């Protein structure tokens, strides 16, 4: 099982990080290791030694069949479910790595850095590019977005990634975060929603 993730896929998030509105020339792809996966409502143990850790709420897509070099027009055949996930990011470490031109593995792939909710069949939604999602912390909405605002759409991402990697059943794709990211702290209670469905819930310890 491979965990793919997309950076810089919502223009307002790019502005809050970089101070400018822009679209990358190609999708920004990175991966997370399998030990970063956090599921089944298990708590997230905050790695305080990494400094500030931010939530990044995202639509996550589940790959359902084997594919390589998939044409974009056929990409919709390669996923069958979506959920809400959180791409936890050690923000201070990320800044240091970026300044040095180094990979993001350490700030994005640590244990528990890929929280994932319960899968919802794609048939439950009218259009994968029209799904609203949001994150509540301690009962207050702190981040919200809609997949219609993605710079690179789900089918584009799958076609692009499959040029380099063979996709396999069970692989998952974090599709990028909208604006509104922020830090988590011990004792926070997080709830992730797709439309009116609560699909993600856990505590920070």
């Amino acid at each position: 099982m491979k965990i793919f993730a997309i950076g810089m896929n919502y223009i307002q998030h790019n502005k809050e990080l970089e101070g400018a509105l822009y679209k990358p020339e190609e999708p920004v792809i990175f991966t997370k290791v399998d030990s970063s996966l956090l599921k089944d409502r298990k708590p997230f143990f905050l790695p305080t030694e990494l400094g500030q850790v931010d939530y990044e709420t995202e639509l996550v897509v589940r790959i359902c069949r084997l594919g390589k070099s998939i044409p974009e027009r056929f990409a919709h055949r390669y996923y069958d479910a979506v959920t809400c996930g959180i791409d936890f990011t050690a923000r201070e470490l990320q800044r240091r790595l970026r300044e040095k031109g180094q990979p993001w593995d350490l700030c994005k792939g640590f244990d528990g850095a890929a929280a994932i909710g319960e899968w919802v069949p794609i048939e439950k939604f009218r259009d994968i590019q029209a799904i609203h999602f949001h994150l509540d912390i301690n009962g207050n909405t702190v981040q919200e977005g809609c997949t219609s605002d993605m710079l690179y759409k789900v089918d584009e991402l799958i076609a692009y990634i499959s040029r380099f990697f063979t996709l396999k059943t069970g692989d998952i794709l974090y599709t990028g975060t909208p604006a509104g990211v922020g830090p988590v702290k011990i004792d926070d209670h997080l709830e992730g929603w797709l439309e009116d469905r609560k699909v993600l819930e856990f505590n920070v310890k």
Side-chain angles (χ1 to χ4, degrees), residues 124-170:
K124 298 290 186 182
F125 301 95
R126 176 181 57 82
D127 182 353
I128 195 171
Q129 296 302 160
I131 299 175
H132 291 84
F133 57 95
H134 70 273
L135 175 69
D136 292 351
I137 297 183
N138 305 325
N140 299 309
T141 298
V142 296
Q143 189 179 20
E144 52 191 331
C146 182
T147 57
S148 62
D149 294 327
M150 287 180 179
L151 297 174
Y152 291 98
K153 308 305 183 186
V154 172
D155 290 358
E156 292 179 87
L157 294 172
I158 288 174
Y160 183 82
I161 292 171
S162 70
R163 289 167 50 191
F164 304 93
F165 301 93
T166 297
L167 298 180
K168 296 182 178 181
T169 300

Side-chain angles (χ1 to χ4, degrees), residues 56-120:
E56 297 189 6
T57 313
E58 313 194 3
L59 181 86
V60 186
V61 177
R62 182 174 71 187
I63 302 300
C64 64
R65 60 190 296 188
L66 184 73
K68 172 69 175 174
S69 299
I70 302 164
E72 184 180 332
R73 68 183 183 277
F74 297 137
H76 66 278
R77 301 178 181 177
Y78 288 82
Y79 52 88
D80 64 352
V82 295
T83 190
C84 183
I86 298 177
D87 167 22
F88 281 114
T89 304
R91 189 67 68 199
E92 297 164 9
L93 177 57
Q94 184 188 39
R95 292 191 185 103
R96 295 199 299 271
L97 293 171
R98 293 183 67 183
E99 287 171 359
K100 297 176 182 178
Q102 296 178 351
W104 293 2
D105 302 59
L106 296 179
C107 68
K108 291 281 195 176
F110 54 88
D111 287 353
I116 193 167
E118 301 167 2
W119 294 108
V120 180

